[in-house]
Amino acid sequence: MTPRTASQLAHHVRPMQSTSSLGSANARHVRCMSILNSHGQLELKDKSLLIQAGFIDNTHVKTTASGKRFPVFDPARGVEIASFPDMNTEDAERAIQAAKNALPEWSQKTAKERSAILRKWYDLILQNEDDLARILTWENGKPLAEALGEIRYGASFFEWFSEEAKRLYGEVIPSPSRQQRMMAIRQPLGVVGIITPWNFPNAMITRKFGAALAVGCTVVAKPASETPLSALALCELGMRAGVPKGVIGIVTTHTDTKAIGKHFCESLDISGISFTGSTAVGKVLLKQSADTVKKMSLELGGNAAFIVFEDADLEKAVDAAIMAKFRSSGQTCICVNRFYVHSSIKDKFASLMGERVKKFQVGSGFDNSTTHGPLINQRAVEKVHSHVEDALQHGAKLVTGGTHDKDSSADSGIHGYFYPPTVLADMKTNMKMATEETFGPVAGIFSFETEDEVLEAANKTRFGLAGYFFSNDVSRCWRVAEKLQVGMVGVNTGAISSEVAPFGGIKESGMGREGARQGLDEYTQYKYINMAV
């Protein structure tokens, strides 16, 4: 294990209640080490799932021509836990050519044959879910229980698409001519370039792989450099499930991330790009793909609003708000970024949320008492802190949290990228959080008076991924659900993700849908056949 420099490690935040709780925080940190051996390595039932290599043509690529490698860090401790070959565009091209060579055989398998492989892969994930969850927590930081939930959620896409593979229906078209028969069939797009983020290193890959492989595409993926371990563990299970040689490629990189993304976009052998990440990067990929006219599936940034009307069930609204805001320490694309609460109940809502948040336990994801883990890196901590400081400087009221104390880190014994879950009230439209995605554990509460007013505020953004609201007025529920300018709406719920429902946004939050039967559309193309008789 190689610790980072002192300045890099100094990202502890003062405990949410008092400095006297530092001792218990240290105890939790010590207890979590039981999952790690004496050398600080992760204990797994199946150690072969812990792979530090790229994956091309069913071969683990442990070195590159340059010999360069990049480190992966545990965000809860700030120490290096793995290293990977720092691949370049030449390596990416090898993976593309392997996928291209594998395409004819894979695409010509029957839907039932591909379905059986995906189903076996699903079964293997569930059989190894504990190890996969530990790997995910180690590189991402989220609590182990939450990581296990992600593993099961990710596996559900293989289960779903193993079934949908056999239902890739075309259609027979009533012909206007007695001498012609018309039909439309659906065929795989070809080789697909896939780029996934660090916040769901398992589920974002399975959501894309499941649909692409089900219809007969082959794939080359570039996982986030912060979390490549989960991707390689999934590939190992894919090989065991019977995925043929070359069908899947994994390119690991840190230095050449932009160059490899550009190479995917400009390659004449890649027919489509599926990307989950920031809007800024998505726009670049869209521009770079223009000359080759690729099919694009983009799931980009969000700025979700959560509206609580005066007639809402306040307790249920707070429960849902906690889930929709603080899941994964606020590091999800559909996390709430703006709370709009009717002025008649805003103080009560802020008080109830603050009481709940004060009970959170922040620490290592391997500690059973931890409810919320670290942020992914130093930049994330500083962005969140800048949003909180900006809000406070512009008049926001601090309900709980909000202290980022670098100087106390040496005494605390906790070295990682932590920020205390925070609740702010009296938010205003001139604050950064009103327009920028925070991507962290901070809930900012704005107030409103009328339905028209709050809809205008909620829709006043270039993003349109998800939105939530609570009301017991059935007529209002239909009105607001239809008027919110987003791709997904949660009505009286904070949980909207499911493998059976189409996931995606509008405006600058992306294009295309993932999951559900619509998820197959991103990886297929229609072919119209007219046969004279």
Side-chain angles (χ1 to χ4, degrees), residues 85-374:
D86 201 357
M87 294 179 166
N88 57 25
T89 55
E90 291 183 9
D91 299 301
E93 183 60 26
R94 285 173 51 215
I96 292 169
Q97 291 307 310
K100 180 182 177 181
N101 293 336
L103 181 63
E105 178 186 352
W106 180 248
S107 63
Q108 289 166 22
K109 283 185 179 294
T110 66
K112 188 172 183 178
E113 288 173 328
R114 293 195 296 269
S115 172
I117 291 173
L118 285 174
R119 178 67 198 204
K120 186 174 181 181
W121 201 348
Y122 162 77
D123 292 336
L124 287 170
I125 289 173
L126 295 189
Q127 291 168 20
N128 292 274
E129 62 179 14
D130 290 335
D131 279 351
L132 294 175
R134 288 187 174 197
I135 290 170
L136 198 160
T137 293
W138 207 30
E139 64 181 350
N140 170 276
K142 65 180 61 177
L144 194 57
E146 194 170 330
L148 184 59
E150 180 182 336
I151 300 304
R152 293 171 179 171
Y153 175 56
S156 73
F157 289 105
F158 283 163
E159 179 188 35
W160 171 261
F161 285 117
S162 73
E163 298 163 350
E164 287 299 289
K166 296 179 286 187
R167 301 180 181 90
L168 188 66
Y169 301 129
E171 58 183 294
V172 175
I173 304 166
S175 174
S177 169
R178 294 179 182 177
Q179 286 72 46
Q180 293 179 332
R181 299 294 181 266
M182 298 177 176
M183 68 184 71
I185 64 173
R186 298 171 71 180
Q187 294 184 310
L189 200 58
V191 180
V192 179
I194 289 175
I195 303 174
T196 57
W198 49 260
N199 58 339
F200 287 90
N202 179 287
M204 293 301 95
I205 288 180
T206 57
R207 190 160 73 183
K208 297 176 190 295
F209 277 18
L213 298 180
V215 302
C217 292
T218 55
V219 296
V220 178
K222 189 204 78 62
S225 60
E226 294 89 348
T227 55
L229 289 164
S230 290
L232 272 298
L234 279 171
C235 275
E236 172 63 23
L237 296 179
M239 284 196 294
R240 297 178 192 179
V243 176
K245 179 180 179 181
V247 169
I248 295 171
I250 300 290
V251 180
T252 60
T253 187
H254 175 73
T255 305
D256 284 346
T257 292
K258 292 181 180 178
I260 288 175
K262 186 172 186 285
H263 188 75
F264 280 6
C265 293
E266 295 179 349
S267 171
L268 297 177
D269 292 319
I270 286 184
S271 301
I273 299 289
S274 180
F275 168 74
T276 296
S278 73
T279 294
V281 173
K283 289 179 179 180
V284 171
L285 297 175
L286 191 59
K287 291 175 182 177
Q288 291 175 343
S289 296
D291 285 343
T292 51
V293 196
K294 283 184 172 51
K295 193 167 188 176
M296 302 291 289
S297 173
L298 302 174
E299 196 260 283
L300 308 177
N303 190 6
F306 188 111
I307 304 168
V308 185
F309 288 99
E310 66 273 20
D311 62 333
D313 183 319
L314 203 54
E315 293 286 347
K316 289 182 178 178
V318 171
D319 287 343
I322 294 294
M323 178 188 299
K325 171 69 256 185
F326 293 102
R327 177 177 51 239
S328 295
S329 294
Q331 299 176 111
T332 84
C333 56
I334 58 172
C335 271
V336 178
N337 203 56
R338 299 166 293 153
F339 285 91
Y340 293 101
V341 184
H342 192 270
S343 60
S344 63
I345 56 173
K346 67 178 180 66
D347 292 337
K348 180 64 173 175
F349 181 89
S351 176
L352 288 172
M353 179 177 274
E355 290 172 6
R356 292 282 300 278
V357 171
K358 287 176 183 176
K359 297 177 182 178
F360 291 171
Q361 294 290 332
V362 178
S364 167
F366 289 128
D367 184 342
N368 288 334
S369 66
T370 292
T371 60
H372 293 78

Side-chain angles (χ1 to χ4, degrees), residues 326-435:
F326 293 102
R327 177 177 51 239
S328 295
S329 294
Q331 299 176 111
T332 84
C333 56
I334 58 172
C335 271
V336 178
N337 203 56
R338 299 166 293 153
F339 285 91
Y340 293 101
V341 184
H342 192 270
S343 60
S344 63
I345 56 173
K346 67 178 180 66
D347 292 337
K348 180 64 173 175
F349 181 89
S351 176
L352 288 172
M353 179 177 274
E355 290 172 6
R356 292 282 300 278
V357 171
K358 287 176 183 176
K359 297 177 182 178
F360 291 171
Q361 294 290 332
V362 178
S364 167
F366 289 128
D367 184 342
N368 288 334
S369 66
T370 292
T371 60
H372 293 78
L375 301 187
I376 192 64
N377 55 33
Q378 172 187 349
R379 295 188 307 277
V381 173
E382 295 187 347
K383 179 182 178 182
V384 172
H385 184 58
S386 72
H387 278 204
V388 172
E389 288 296 294
D390 172 78
L392 293 175
Q393 289 170 9
H394 287 88
K397 174 186 174 182
L398 180 64
V399 178
T400 188
T403 301
H404 177 228
D405 189 350
K406 295 182 180 181
D407 295 332
S408 65
S409 62
D411 298 327
S412 72
I414 303 177
H415 300 297
Y417 305 114
F418 296 96
Y419 197 89
T422 298
V423 178
L424 300 167
D426 299 337
M427 297 291 291
K428 301 293 186 296
T429 57
N430 63 340
M431 299 173 183
K432 288 180 179 179
M433 285 180 61
T435 56

Side-chain angles (χ1 to χ4, degrees), residues 28-46:
R28 291 200 309 274
H29 184 62
V30 171
R31 286 200 302 273
C32 85
M33 297 297 286
S34 62
I35 291 179
L36 306 178
N37 63 25
S38 59
H39 300 291
Q41 293 294 320
L42 192 63
E43 291 288 355
L44 299 176
K45 297 174 186 174
D46 184 351

